[in-house]
Amino acid sequence: MSEHALDSNGRLRHLITLEGLGRQHIEDLLDRACELRLAFADGACGPQLLRGRTIVNLFFEASTRTRSSFELAARRLGATVLNFEMSSSSTSKGETLEDTLATLEAMQADAFVVRHRENGTPERLARHAKRAAVLNAGDGNHAHPTQGLLDALTIRDRHPDFSRLKVTLCGDIRHSRVARSDLHVLGALGTGEIRLCGPAALMPPVDEFPGCRVFEDFDDALSGSDVLIMLRLQRERMAEALVSDEAEYFRRFGLTSERLRHAAPEALVMHPGPMNRGIEIAADVADGPQSVILEQVSNGIPVRMAALASLLGA
Ligand code: NCD
């Protein structure tokens, strides 16, 4: 199975990664998210596209925003949602993940939303699923496709033409699945220039993103940038402490209001969360007029609605 198995109607069966998905599939998902955002605006009860369907959240790693966002998206579309608490699940009694999936599929689960600390787990489950769709909610440092989509939607709302944009990602890119999905979606949408910035130890291998410009000096990277995506130091994914001094990190790579002046006027400030104020971003910038961080959170719901509805043919 390729990562983008299509069914007989040319529809996506699973959403594992944005890599290679193609501009049309991405734009369709973003357009659908916009329609659903409008239909559910101001607390309106929009179309109950998933009434009678069952969505299972399988989160093997702590998550607040992504799990809640998927859950609200599914419930607002009328689905039944099952939250599988992995600490109390049968996998802790030795059952394989494949058997857990088969058991829940036998109970007519229609979709599985999977987060796992190991790269490849959602794809492995997708291979095993007979009928259900699998949505990757973040695996290791591999991919976080709905985050990439919601970031793209947040940017597109202000800047529909990506070819005119300079977008900078700053921070722990090496360990970030968000960065990878952002880079895939930004590439697919034809972004003019993509810049990566951070300490050398936190950069991805040089040949992983050949089209990007790499900077070690944050002020150089910021210069003229239209969009800044700040990333957290993902210590839980570092085998060793690659950044020993957080104050020094903030001095070199923290986004402060003085620094922000180097970027294009009205540059968008983004962060996927969870945010560490005073480490990668100053509190006043996170809360400031250029920050669209809470818009990213809001956009997560229609994006996940669009992904669930599209995969389930609704
Ligand atoms: C991210 C994640 O878990 O991949 N958060 C999120 O889903 N919005 C980023 C992170 O953990 O830093």
Side-chain angles (χ1 to χ4, degrees):
M1 187 188 83
S2 91
E3 281 193 309
H4 300 301
L6 304 178
D7 70 9
S8 52
N9 301 317
R11 208 180 65 210
L12 271 184
R13 274 264 287 133
H14 306 288
L15 183 61
I16 305 298
T17 175
L18 301 177
E19 187 172 13
L21 185 55
R23 187 167 188 155
Q24 198 55 54
H25 274 299
I26 288 172
E27 286 186 347
D28 290 348
L29 284 166
L30 298 181
D31 291 344
R32 185 117 204 245
C34 285
E35 279 164 38
L36 288 163
R37 183 169 61 183
L38 198 62
F40 284 87
D42 304 320
C45 181
Q48 299 295 286
L49 300 173
L50 298 183
R51 200 186 348 239
R53 314 298 285 272
T54 302
I55 313 296
V56 181
N57 277 327
L58 291 179
F59 277 63
F60 298 86
E61 200 186 72
S63 160
T64 310
R65 92 192 54 223
T66 304
R67 197 193 57 74
S68 324
S69 179
F70 267 108
E71 179 165 357
L72 288 171
R75 283 190 195 283
R76 286 182 193 164
L77 290 174
T80 298
V81 178
L82 205 59
N83 282 308
F84 226 61
E85 287 303 330
M86 297 326 291
S87 52
S88 59
S89 78
S90 307
T91 47
S92 61
K93 300 180 187 165
E95 182 175 86
T96 66
L97 271 181
E98 284 81 354
D99 282 336
T100 304
L101 178 115
T103 301
L104 291 160
E105 253 198 310
M107 296 181 197
Q108 290 180 19
D110 295 289
F112 293 89
V113 177
V114 182
R115 166 165 289 195
H116 202 282
R117 68 184 178 77
E118 276 170 36
N119 291 13
T121 303
E123 193 188 357
R124 205 179 96 209
L125 289 177
R127 267 186 234 283
H128 205 77
K130 292 195 174 58
R131 193 184 54 87
V134 175
L135 291 91
N136 183 1
D139 61 331
N141 69 355
H142 170 240
H144 192 350
T146 55
Q147 181 74 41
L149 290 169
L150 74 88
D151 288 346
L153 179 60
T154 307
I155 298 170
R156 196 179 80 162
D157 285 340
R158 313 285 174 99
H159 299 288
D161 183 358
F162 281 73
S163 72
R164 300 161 67 100
L165 295 180
K166 291 188 178 68
V167 179
T168 296
L169 283 84
C170 179
D172 183 2
I173 294 166
R174 177 181 289 261
H175 299 98
S176 175
R177 52 195 174 213
V178 173
R180 288 183 172 72
S181 285
D182 281 350
L183 290 168
H184 294 142
V185 77
L186 290 168
L189 296 175
T191 303
E193 187 176 316
I194 303 176
R195 300 176 175 180
L196 306 180
C197 180
L202 301 182
M203 283 292 114
V206 275
D207 48 0
E208 192 180 348
F209 297 105
C212 299
R213 289 183 66 189
V214 177
F215 293 77
E216 246 196 275
D217 184 292
F218 192 23
D219 292 319
D220 290 345
L222 279 174
S223 171
S225 284
D226 303 289
V227 178
L228 312 169
I229 302 179
M230 304 305 295
L231 300 167
R232 183 174 69 87
L233 293 178
Q234 300 183 96
R235 295 201 179 279
E236 73 280 13
R237 285 177 221 147
M238 293 181 196
E240 54 192 305
L242 295 173
V243 172
S244 50
D245 182 346
E246 287 176 348
E248 168 67 7
Y249 182 85
F250 182 67
R251 199 187 59 70
R252 287 187 61 200
F253 299 105
L255 185 60
T256 58
S257 46
E258 299 85 74
R259 275 233 157 92
L260 187 52
R261 293 195 198 107
H262 293 276
E266 299 181 47
L268 301 182
V269 173
M270 301 175 64
H271 193 305
M275 201 161 40
N276 292 137
R277 291 168 184 255
I279 299 179
E280 67 266 4
I281 189 166
D284 63 328
V285 176
D287 301 329
Q290 286 169 252
S291 167
V292 291
I293 295 170
L294 291 176
E295 269 179 47
Q296 291 173 268
V297 175
S298 303
N299 282 334
I301 294 186
V303 159
R304 290 172 176 124
M305 285 178 168
L308 285 165
S310 303
L311 294 179
L312 297 184

